[in-house]
Amino acid sequence: MLNAGGGADTTGNLGAMPFGPEHQAPAIRDLLAGSGRSFSFEFMPPKTEMGERQLWRAVRRLEPLRPTFVSVTYGAGGSTRERTVRVTGRIAAETTLTPAGHITAVNHSVAELRRLVGSYAAVGVRNMVALRGDPPGDPNGEWCQHPEGLRHAEELVSLIKASGDFSVGVAAFPEGHPRSPDPDSDLAHFVQKCRAGADFAITQMFFYAEDYLRLRDRVSAAGCDVPIIPGVMPVTSINTLERIVLLSGAKVPPSLVEQLAAAAEDKAAVREIGVDYAADLCQRLLAEQAPGLHFCTLNGSRATLDIYQRLGLPGRVAPGEAPGSGSGAPMIA
C-alpha cells in the first residue's frame, strides 16, 4: 500500500553489499515507454529475520514472471529508511528485477532527503516513488511539515529530479486523497506532481474499477498523459481486510464483505473469494486499457501467482528475446 538514506545497517540482516554503477537498473520511464503493459509488484522491508526469509522467498518465486519493476515501501515517518534502501539495493544487485524505492517527505529535512536520494544512488537504484507520507503513529493524524522539510509531494519530485538522472513515480488516489477537500483540488495536486517531473503513477488500492477509470479520464482531460498504473491487493484473510484494507480508507463492496464474513471460519475459502474478486477486477481494468497492474504482495507470492494464472498472463519477454522463449509464468506449487 502506498501509504504505508544511507548510514549504518541497523537490521543486522542484509550486510554490506558491493554495490556500484554496474548494478544500476534501467529507468522505469524507459520501460513504460516500450510496447506492452506494465506488471509490477510491491514489497515491504522486513522487520525480523523470519520476515526477511519470507520476503526473499516471495522475491525468488515472483522473479521468473519478469515484472516490469518492483517497489519497496517506506515506513511512516521514515521508520524503515535504512532497511528500505538496503533491501532495494540488494534487489538491484542480486536479482534480475528493476527496483524502485519509496521515499516520503514526512519527518525529514531537505538535507536528509538529499542524503537519502544519494543513498539510493550509491546502491545502484535510479527509480523512486515520491510520497508526502503519513504522520508516524497515526495515518489519519494531523500532518505536520518538518521545520526544514517539504510540504507537498510535488516538491519532493522536484528535489529528486534535480539530484540526478532518476525516474520518479507518484501516488494517485482513485477515491480521492483523504486530505483533499474536493475532487477538483485532488486532480490539481496530482497534475502538479506530474508537471514537477513524475514519470508514472501508482494508485492506492481500490475495489471499484469505475473509480480508477474516472480518475484516469479526468487526468487525461486535464492534458496530463503520465501513465497511471492501478494498484491491486487481493484480500486473502479477514485480518487483511480489517487491519490493512479498512485503514487505507478504500470502499469495500458490501457483497464482498458479506461473502468474506460468511466464509470467515474457512481460511481457504476466504482466500479464494479474495483472489477471485481481485482477478475479476484485474480483468476489467485490462479490458479498459489500463497500462498495467501493480500488485501489493504483502511479501507473499501465492495470491499474485494465482491471479497471473487465472488471467493467463505470461512472464514479460526480456529485451532482445523472442516471445515464447522465456520462462513464462511458473507453475504454482
Side-chain angles (χ1 to χ4, degrees):
M1 288 165 54
L2 289 170
N3 283 343
D9 178 10
T10 59
T11 66
N13 292 323
L14 298 178
M17 298 300 302
F19 302 118
E22 67 275 17
H23 297 290
Q24 285 188 343
I28 290 174
R29 63 171 174 268
D30 296 332
L31 296 175
L32 295 178
S35 60
R37 287 180 164 131
S38 168
F39 296 98
S40 51
F41 310 135
E42 179 176 292
F43 300 111
M44 302 178 295
K47 296 180 179 180
T48 64
E49 290 187 11
M50 181 178 296
E52 184 182 348
R53 289 193 294 271
Q54 178 181 340
L55 165 65
W56 288 101
R57 281 197 299 270
V59 168
R60 292 306 185 186
R61 291 198 74 194
L62 292 173
E63 185 176 9
L65 295 180
R66 292 182 177 167
T68 310
F69 66 94
V70 299
S71 69
V72 182
T73 62
Y74 194 80
S79 57
T80 64
R81 179 175 60 189
E82 282 79 18
R83 286 197 299 271
T84 296
V85 172
R86 297 285 180 158
V87 168
T88 309
R90 184 175 172 185
I91 290 174
E94 297 185 14
T95 76
T96 60
L97 303 171
T98 296
H102 287 211
I103 177 171
T104 66
V106 68
N107 221 26
H108 290 324
S109 68
V110 169
E112 288 172 333
L113 290 170
R114 288 196 177 113
R115 285 195 294 271
L116 180 56
V117 172
S119 295
Y120 275 124
V123 295
V125 174
R126 63 182 303 196
N127 301 290
M128 286 173 239
V129 179
L131 310 166
R132 191 173 80 155
D134 291 328
D138 181 7
N140 299 313
E142 181 182 1
W143 199 95
C144 297
Q145 180 181 2
H146 187 287
E148 298 175 0
L150 305 175
R151 183 163 184 80
H152 299 291
E154 66 185 88
E155 298 172 300
L156 180 55
V157 173
S158 296
L159 182 150
I160 297 171
K161 298 294 281 191
S163 300
D165 183 21
F166 298 106
S167 185
V168 182
V170 293
F173 299 85
E175 298 174 43
H177 192 286
R179 298 178 191 275
S180 291
D182 55 70
D184 289 340
S185 296
D186 191 57
L187 175 64
H189 283 302
F190 177 77
V191 173
Q192 286 170 2
K193 290 191 292 188
C194 295
R195 289 176 178 165
D199 300 302
F200 63 97
I202 302 171
T203 76
Q204 177 63 284
M205 63 171 297
F206 59 94
F207 290 91
Y208 291 97
E210 290 75 14
D211 289 327
Y212 167 81
L213 298 173
R214 190 178 302 112
L215 168 67
R216 181 191 66 180
D217 292 346
R218 293 184 73 227
V219 169
S220 178
C224 179
D225 60 359
V226 168
I228 303 174
I229 304 169
V232 177
M233 188 177 76
V235 177
T236 56
S237 70
I238 297 298
N239 181 65
T240 300
L241 180 68
E242 293 176 347
R243 297 186 59 187
I244 300 177
V245 175
L246 296 183
L247 282 176
S248 74
K251 296 178 298 186
V252 185
S255 60
L256 177 59
V257 174
E258 291 172 5
Q259 291 181 65
L260 293 170
E265 301 304 317
D266 186 339
K267 293 182 178 179
V270 167
R271 184 185 174 284
E272 189 75 6
I273 291 167
V275 169
D276 279 345
Y277 189 93
D280 288 345
L281 176 62
C282 291
Q283 188 70 62
R284 170 77 189 283
L285 293 168
L286 294 176
E288 293 284 355
Q289 302 305 309
L293 300 167
H294 185 74
F295 294 96
C296 304
T297 69
L298 300 181
N299 290 4
S301 60
R302 187 178 170 192
T304 301
L305 288 167
D306 280 355
I307 293 172
Y308 255 68
Q309 188 177 62
R310 293 181 196 202
L311 296 179
L313 298 176
R316 183 172 62 93
V317 176
E321 182 179 72
S325 63
S327 57
M331 296 298 292
I332 299 171

